Amino acid sequence: MTALSTPTAPVPAVPAAAPLAMSGRAAAVVPAGTPLTAAVETAVREHAHDGALPAYVYDLAHLRAHLVRIRAALVGTGVELLHAVKANPDAAILATVVRHVDGLEVASGGELSHVRAVAPGVPLAFGGPGKTDGELAAAVAAGVDRFHVESLTELRRLDATARAAGARADVLLRVNIPAAGPASPGSGAMAGPALTMGGAPSPFGMDPAEADAAARELPRLPGVEVLGVHAHLASGLGPEQCAAQAEGIAAWAAGFAARHGISLREVNVGGGMDVDYGAPARTFDWEGYGARIGRVAAAHPGVTLRIEPGRAVSAYSGWYASRVLDVKRSHGEWFAVCSGGTHHLRTPAAKGHSQPLAVLREDRWEAPWERPASDGGPVTFVGQLCTPKDVLARQVPVPQVRAGDLVVFAMAGAYAHNISHTGFLMHPDPAIVHVGG
């Protein structure tokens, strides 16, 4: 099987990426520095005039610039970059991403088939809990490069599947490593700050004791070869926390391999890079992280260290555009009712935040009655759904919002459209628009 080691196309070696482009058009009311590229604004206005809203707009040039920055931050570290497809499986997004990464991580048979159609030659890792026998067989047949195995039972099933196919599956054991206590090889503890998943009851990965049992059983499982350890322990971490997490995982993996006589060749430390929806103009500090993770990799010569971000790669390069259908005042508060809603953009409801937004003023108003408009006070932006939970952004300080204006919600390029319950109320699906490609 092909090793996960080489990007599918050359990556420009640049010292740093230029700042991501933002629009300065006076017609856009952009609170709190919400990023809005000129290409996205133009596309939104064009589609609004055609009546094709709500819509998702993905700026592929914006995404390319961000990926170049990420790769540049990792130059010289020896760290390999995978991307989690679950963040956004859009075909054009993935076709852009694969030119700048060492491989993709899929977590279902559906994602596997989709990626093989979109990017046939890209190296793949197959993760996720609850893999079915059919998915394991399809992954073996498709030549998946790494299996992130979640339990001893799954390891046994993969062994049987691989042997039946006359193959051998390369495996990383996904381990739910404890997060508290001092770190020392073999101690079963991870250094660094308190983390959300490590050491807590979870359906993800196996406890260290189960990993020990899996290692002891390896001589009876000739259909699999364990190359190392995978651990994804937390999300929403800054560069120092991410690097400390990686250091703890790598130290634990080294101790685990030494105890069981396993030749440790690979450690995947997952993703978890912070994406701050409250500060949309600020991206993760890839340069600071690159310096730190490079030191972690250097401390483990002969071991390939991988990271596996998803949200932090594509979140900034997607926007969800809608039109204000009505503006009303209720018990002293202003509400803007927008086309679409959280059944298209689930992120704010799922994470409990206000999605950053920009209002694009539309001067045309052809109705014979007075145009509904707010009076300058904070406005809560909601969708069309019959539930009070359909809130996209709460109490946004914008100068004014009028019926007919356009609203563009930023940071909608990951875990947004693809996690949304689009069938609710049977509204039409949002259009998908690509610019910069």
Side-chain angles (χ1 to χ4, degrees):
M1 295 183 183
T2 303
L4 293 167
S5 59
T6 306
T8 55
V11 177
V14 294
L20 300 179
M22 299 180 191
S23 171
R25 298 187 187 187
V29 179
V30 186
T34 301
L36 180 66
T37 70
V40 169
E41 181 175 338
T42 298
V44 170
R45 291 187 183 279
E46 289 176 351
H47 282 75
H49 295 159
D50 293 338
L53 293 183
Y56 267 91
V57 183
Y58 298 129
D59 190 333
L60 303 180
H62 185 284
L63 177 60
R64 281 194 298 274
H66 193 203
L67 284 160
V68 166
R69 176 191 171 197
I70 295 171
R71 290 298 309 200
L74 297 176
V75 167
T77 65
V79 175
E80 292 189 354
L81 173 64
L82 304 188
H83 176 62
V85 170
K86 64 179 73 69
N88 189 337
D90 177 80
I93 291 280
L94 294 181
T96 301
V97 167
V98 296
R99 296 183 62 82
H100 302 273
V101 299
D102 298 291
L104 298 177
E105 184 265 347
V106 297
S108 73
E111 286 189 349
L112 171 61
S113 298
H114 177 64
V115 170
R116 279 292 184 239
V118 171
V122 66
L124 294 180
F126 189 19
K131 303 177 186 72
T132 68
D133 289 340
E135 288 176 323
L136 290 176
V140 169
V144 163
D145 301 271
R146 297 295 179 274
F147 289 83
H148 298 161
V149 173
E150 302 264 345
S151 71
L152 175 54
T153 298
E154 184 178 295
L155 187 68
R156 292 165 174 165
R157 290 169 52 228
L158 177 59
D159 167 71
T161 300
R163 285 189 289 109
R168 186 165 183 167
D170 290 336
V171 165
L172 300 185
L173 299 180
R174 181 172 180 177
V175 186
N176 184 1
I177 299 170
S184 60
S187 69
M190 202 196 76
L195 302 171
T196 57
M197 290 175 66
S202 169
F204 305 110
M206 58 185 79
D207 282 353
E210 186 177 3
D212 288 336
R216 289 192 295 269
E217 194 164 322
L218 288 177
R220 298 190 297 278
L221 302 175
V224 297
E225 182 173 6
V226 172
L227 304 180
V229 170
H230 176 286
H232 177 67
L233 303 179
S235 295
L237 304 179
E240 293 183 10
Q241 292 173 303
C242 273
Q245 175 177 271
E247 184 178 14
I249 293 169
W252 188 94
F256 171 79
R259 290 198 310 276
H260 294 287
I262 294 172
S263 175
L264 183 65
R265 284 172 271 177
E266 301 174 5
V267 176
N268 186 319
V269 299
M273 292 74 184
D274 178 44
V275 173
D276 189 350
Y277 290 85
R282 180 184 68 80
T283 59
F284 182 77
D285 179 10
W286 286 104
E287 292 75 19
Y289 176 70
R292 293 177 175 90
I293 196 68
R295 291 192 288 271
V296 176
H300 298 273
V303 177
T304 298
L305 195 67
R306 293 200 187 97
I307 61 174
E308 198 175 280
R311 189 189 306 268
V313 172
S314 60
Y316 307 101
S317 301
W319 289 260
Y320 175 67
S322 66
R323 185 186 291 277
V324 178
L325 304 175
D326 200 357
V327 177
K328 62 177 72 174
R329 193 170 178 86
S330 177
H331 291 267
E333 294 188 12
W334 284 105
F335 290 83
V337 181
C338 303
S339 60
T342 56
H343 59 323
H344 294 163
L345 179 61
R346 185 66 182 162
T347 330
K351 291 181 68 67
H353 68 243
S354 290
Q355 199 76 12
L357 61 85
V359 177
L360 308 184
R361 298 181 66 84
E362 283 278 272
D363 291 332
R364 292 188 305 171
W365 182 254
E366 299 175 355
W369 51 80
E370 182 180 358
R371 186 175 192 174
S374 67
D375 64 2
V379 177
T380 294
F381 291 79
V382 302
Q384 296 175 273
L385 303 184
C386 304
T387 168
K389 295 183 178 181
D390 187 25
V391 178
L392 294 160
R394 195 177 298 278
Q395 294 288 286
V396 180
V398 291
Q400 187 184 54
V401 179
R402 306 169 301 171
D405 284 344
L406 309 177
V407 187
V408 188
F409 297 91
M411 298 181 73
Y415 295 107
H417 181 219
N418 60 310
I419 68 164
S420 300
H421 51 295
T422 54
F424 187 45
L425 292 192
M426 301 182 71
H427 286 164
D429 286 343
I432 303 294
V433 180
H434 300 96
V435 299

